[in-house]
Amino acid sequence: MYERLKAYEGRAAATAGVGKDLVNEPMIRHWCEAMGDTNPAYAGPAEIAPPTMLQAWTMGGLSGHSDRSGAYDELFALLDGAGYTSVVATDCEQEYLRPLRPGDRITFDAVIESVSERKTTRLGTGYFVTTRMDVRAAGEPAGTHRFRILKYTPAAVRRGAKPGGSAGVKEGGRSLRPRPVINRDNAGFWQGVAEHKLLIQRCGECATLRFPWLPGCNECGCQEWDTVEASGEGTVFSYVVMHHPPFPAFAASDDAGPYAVALIELAEGVRMVSNVVGVPYDKVRTGMPVRLEFLCTDPELELPVFRGREG
């Protein structure tokens, strides 16, 4: 199987692709508002697009892609036919070669760069597939986007586990929430949570606050920082109600019913994603005041959540 998959390396995944829209000001504005990015380079007569929008200009939208190659479809049909029918995106890498400006016409080609040997993960067993997209603006190289997915067969769920459980892991009959990924960049945040503190990074050069935690400042590039403790006050900036898939570990009760996930704007001006608790999911509203508290979801995990206040 691996040798059959390897034969697709180096073959085109898309050729002569064309972005559905020119680089444009409305999309830049929506992106910056959603990200809370107020960098002046992204507005005004000399504006450029945020570099991280590189992939946005190549996406197919709800109508999908019309430029994918036969080799790409064959590769995925081969994986599907062998039982590797599930898919999850794992990571991406981007390289920026020149700024994108309103009016630029985006074109691109993509190649199947690599297929891994069969790997076993907590999700299941399968193959990592990496595609590389070379993006051009007005015919000039503008950047490279590598996108990696895992095509896999889901791991067997233990008999009796409810749908949506974290790989069937249960404690005392209740599904557990997934464990957070803790690394050298965010370990201080989770140490604060263990002490019932919500810590926000503060740049050591320009004093800009940032969240989530990052190794460097987006405003000035400084890598020196300290922390400030959030007051715990905030408001719901936006929210969604999750109805599917059912996930008992996130619901207010074991029936795996709907639950609210919100983007919380803290009093300090930064935003974070968390659950809204203490009010029914259908009573959560934009602008609702909330207050930080810490929720012990199981003996080994405590998380910052926000209690809503109706009225």
Side-chain angles (χ1 to χ4, degrees), residues 234-246:
T235 57
V236 174
F237 183 82
S238 64
Y239 70 95
V240 296
V241 175
M242 301 298 296
H243 293 269
H244 186 80

Side-chain angles (χ1 to χ4, degrees), residues 56-117:
W57 311 110
T58 68
M59 297 182 78
L62 294 177
S63 58
H65 289 277
S66 59
D67 44 41
R68 284 180 172 162
S69 70
Y72 186 89
D73 292 336
E74 289 171 13
L75 172 62
F76 279 75
L78 178 59
L79 287 163
D80 288 341
Y84 303 102
T85 54
S86 296
V87 62
V88 62
T90 61
D91 62 288
C92 72
E93 303 171 15
Q94 293 183 337
E95 180 182 10
Y96 312 118
L97 302 177
R98 91 144 170 85
L100 301 180
R101 298 180 174 84
D104 280 341
R105 169 65 69 186
I106 300 301
T107 57
F108 56 90
D109 295 301
V111 64
I112 302 166
E113 189 170 66
S114 66
V115 182
S116 76
E117 295 183 2

Side-chain angles (χ1 to χ4, degrees), residues 35 203 226:
M35 298 298 179
C203 176
D226 60 7

Side-chain angles (χ1 to χ4, degrees), residues 188-189 198-203 209 213 225-230:
F189 169 77
L198 183 60
L199 299 180
I200 304 169
Q201 281 183 308
R202 178 173 57 189
C203 176
L209 299 181
W213 281 37
W225 53 270
D226 60 7
T227 62
V228 296
E229 183 178 353

Side-chain angles (χ1 to χ4, degrees), residues 132-144:
R132 187 192 76 244
M133 179 178 290
D134 296 313
V135 181
R136 296 177 296 276
E140 301 176 357
T144 300

